[in-house]
Amino acid sequence: MIDFRPILFIIGILLGTLAIGMIVPGLVDLYYGHPDWLVFSAASAVSLFIGGALVMMNRTDTLRMTSRQAFILTTASWLVLTAVSALPFAFSNLNMSYTDAFFEAMSGISTTGSTVMVGLDTAPPGILLWRALLQWLGGIGIIVMAIAVMPMLRVGGMQLFRMENSDKSDKAFPRATQIAMGIFTLYVVFTIIWSFLLWWAGMSGFDAIAHAMTTIATGGFSTRDASIGYYDNPLIDVIITLGMTTGALPFLLYLQSLRGQPFVLFRDSQVRWFVTIALTIILSVALWHSEVNDVSFLTALRFASFNIISVMTGTGYATTDYGLWGAFAVAVFFFVMFIGGCAGSTTCGVKIFRLQVLYEIAKIQLNHMLRPHGVFIAYYNRKPLTEDVTESVLSFFFLFVFCFVVLAAALGAMGLDFITAISSAGTAIANVGPGLGPIVGPSGNFATLPDGAKWMMAIGMLIGRLEVFTVLILLSPQFWRD
């Protein structure tokens, strides 16, 4: 019998934290004289009441959890927090249905960045800040999950990082709580730095704070309908590109750099792969865009750099409609959305380390074909890969593709055209944001999709954000048997 008390206790704490977070946009609306401050106050009270009740009713002497409890907690907490986070959207003056509100909340807390909202330029400031705050909280939640939870659950090869950080000498700090506090502090510092830089580059103070939060979280929610293209400012483009790249690298390595290992980022193979892949794709697209569309190379490089990094890291900002660049660019952007960033970052997608493991597996297979009696060992970061890790990565990749195909087919069955269905499925599973085509592309949004498609995409966002296994394992009858 599974003991649900520790699960409900932690969910209660998270709801209490969410209630505190709701106060911030409420105060902003109150300052600007917008009546939605009452909505945030009521939603905060509901969240605090439910959270407080769960904490008081499920107190336990110890908080030790089994892997089954951890699987349930991870998925349940994301669903409950999304359901409550949707309340301010549903009861605000925007007149959103709960379906739209849930979609927006899931897109925010999963740092996907897909939106059903129109008229962002004139939207209430509290709602705009709430969207940014959801992505900011989701971003730090993902980092903590990737470091503390996923390696323990052995999800999709993440146990690899438990092996890497098992020795005290390899840890940035000796205790897990210190690691979490160090990462949170660094997360806040990065947000402050990018807020100042964006304000200095020409954004208003409010826009700078909101965009800094969603940049470091690689979320992509903007305060403008035209996203970053609204500003048409090369300096802002560069600052946000650097911010998205910062959010896409392992935060634990930042801590190690500050603790006396300044070159640890450059020595990490995952970081080197990320930079190499990004630069190769950016230069290829920039050269093609410059030649085919008769654009100066520097202009092509500016737009290619920003938008490739945005899609690759799953941020989802846009400065132009790259869907109009031509067939080659559309194909590249479609496949780039699945890559993602590094493990231990705020990004999503397949992630670089899994591509490295797949590459090593393929290399071993080719070597075996050439030398059948040879002995070959796959390595990651100069350490041999165990069979457990390679099997986990292969299983993750299969299920990731399987979920993408099923979701794309389901969206197609609901009447969406091929480009809209397949790119919507991809952007949901990979937590990217914009899709492709005139409806859900960089210049559109998801408001016109049927409600069923929005619920399907919300499920896809959850599956992609929680690394597939964490959600799908709950569907197995064997999981619930004693």
Side-chain angles (χ1 to χ4, degrees):
M1 186 70 178
I2 299 173
D3 184 4
F4 283 90
R5 288 176 301 166
I7 299 171
L8 296 174
F9 180 80
I10 294 175
I11 290 176
I13 294 175
L14 293 175
L15 284 174
T17 305
L18 191 68
I20 296 171
M22 288 180 182
I23 295 174
V24 178
L27 291 174
V28 170
D29 269 344
L30 183 63
Y31 174 79
Y32 283 100
H34 198 281
D36 274 355
W37 72 270
L38 291 170
V39 174
F40 282 106
S41 299
S44 177
V46 169
S47 182
L48 187 61
F49 175 78
I50 297 173
L54 289 175
V55 169
M56 293 176 65
M57 294 170 60
N58 297 280
R59 292 173 116 180
T60 57
D61 295 331
T62 61
L63 270 179
R64 291 183 179 178
M65 301 185 73
T66 64
S67 60
R68 284 204 298 174
Q69 288 173 316
F71 276 117
I72 297 170
L73 171 64
T74 305
T75 303
S77 60
W78 232 260
L79 282 172
V80 171
L81 290 175
T82 300
V84 176
S85 299
L87 295 178
F89 294 116
F91 293 101
S92 69
N93 286 346
L94 297 172
N95 296 318
M96 296 173 68
S97 66
Y98 189 75
T99 294
D100 284 351
F102 189 89
F103 180 96
E104 196 77 11
M106 178 62 80
S107 180
I109 208 164
S110 65
T111 70
T112 301
S114 302
T115 185
V116 294
M117 289 181 61
V118 294
L120 293 174
D121 300 74
T122 56
I127 286 292
L128 293 177
L129 185 60
W130 181 232
R131 295 166 82 242
L133 191 60
L134 278 180
Q135 292 203 323
W136 191 80
L137 292 172
I140 186 63
I142 287 301
I143 297 172
V144 172
M145 238 176 53
I147 292 173
V149 180
M150 294 302 181
M152 177 187 75
L153 299 181
R154 311 172 73 83
V155 171
M158 290 297 290
Q159 62 266 39
L160 182 66
F161 299 96
R162 182 173 63 178
M163 293 191 305
E164 277 202 332
N165 298 315
S166 59
D167 299 329
K168 288 186 177 181
S169 59
D170 285 338
K171 288 186 178 180
F173 295 98
R175 297 180 60 187
T177 53
Q178 289 177 306
I179 293 175
M181 281 305 300
I183 287 174
F184 179 75
T185 303
L186 191 61
Y187 194 69
V188 172
V189 169
F190 279 152
T191 306
I192 293 171
I193 291 172
W194 260 267
S195 297
F196 172 78
L197 289 174
L198 290 172
W199 171 78
W200 170 72
M203 282 190 182
S204 67
F206 181 85
D207 282 3
I209 292 171
H211 284 96
M213 293 170 78
T214 56
T215 295
I216 295 301
T218 60
F221 272 160
S222 177
T223 58
R224 305 290 177 178
D225 284 323
S227 193
I228 307 304
Y230 169 86
Y231 302 98
D232 193 21
N233 186 323
L235 184 56
I236 288 177
D237 290 358
V238 171
I239 291 169
I240 291 182
T241 301
L242 292 174
M244 293 186 292
T245 304
T246 300
L249 302 183
F251 273 66
L252 194 60
L253 296 186
Y254 291 134
L255 290 184
Q256 291 176 331
S257 297
L258 294 173
R259 297 282 293 180
Q261 302 179 54
F263 301 109
V264 68
L265 266 173
F266 304 101
R267 289 198 300 264
D268 188 82
S269 66
Q270 196 178 184
V271 174
R272 293 199 304 268
W273 268 60
F274 174 82
V275 173
T276 302
I277 291 172
L279 288 177
T280 302
I281 296 172
I282 287 169
L283 289 174
S284 300
V285 172
L287 284 168
W288 186 88
H289 184 36
S290 175
E291 290 297 321
V292 172
N293 297 314
D294 196 23
V295 178
S296 72
F297 178 73
L298 287 179
T299 301
L301 184 62
R302 168 193 165 189
F303 287 117
S305 300
F306 183 95
N307 291 285
I308 287 293
I309 291 295
S310 177
V311 173
M312 182 173 169
T313 60
T315 307
Y317 284 141
T319 53
T320 185
D321 189 352
Y322 43 77
L324 303 176
W325 290 1
F328 173 74
V330 171
V332 169
F333 276 101
F334 175 73
F335 287 107
V336 161
M337 72 169 60
F338 295 102
I339 295 176
C342 302
S345 70
T346 61
T347 57
C348 39
V350 174
K351 290 194 173 65
I352 297 296
F353 87 92
R354 292 193 181 100
L355 296 179
Q356 292 178 264
V357 173
L358 290 172
Y359 169 77
E360 287 292 325
I361 294 171
K363 191 169 69 172
I364 292 295
Q365 185 63 27
L366 286 173
N367 285 332
H368 272 303
M369 292 174 70
L370 294 171
R371 297 164 61 189
H373 301 293
V375 177
F376 306 98
I377 301 174
Y379 288 89
Y380 173 81
N381 254 352
R382 298 176 296 278
K383 294 181 180 179
L385 289 169
T386 63
E387 189 175 336
D388 178 36
V389 172
T390 57
E391 287 178 353
S392 294
V393 170
L394 287 171
S395 301
F396 170 88
F397 191 73
F398 168 76
L399 287 176
F400 187 91
V401 174
F402 177 77
C403 290
F404 162 68
V405 171
V406 170
L407 181 55
L411 293 175
M414 291 179 184
L416 276 62
D417 65 86
F418 176 76
I419 291 295
T420 303
I422 198 167
S423 64
S424 294
T427 196
I429 291 291
N431 303 110
V432 174
L436 297 171
I439 300 175
V440 297
S443 59
N445 64 28
F446 296 80
T448 58
L449 267 59
D451 284 355
K454 291 171 185 173
W455 283 108
M456 289 295 298
M457 284 191 64
I459 294 171
M461 293 176 202
L462 180 70
I463 291 173
R465 184 73 280 185
L466 299 186
E467 305 280 334
V468 184
F469 283 98
T470 313
V471 179
L472 296 187
I473 196 172
L474 301 184
L475 303 179
S476 169
Q478 188 176 355
F479 176 86
W480 301 99
R481 295 188 189 127
D482 291 331

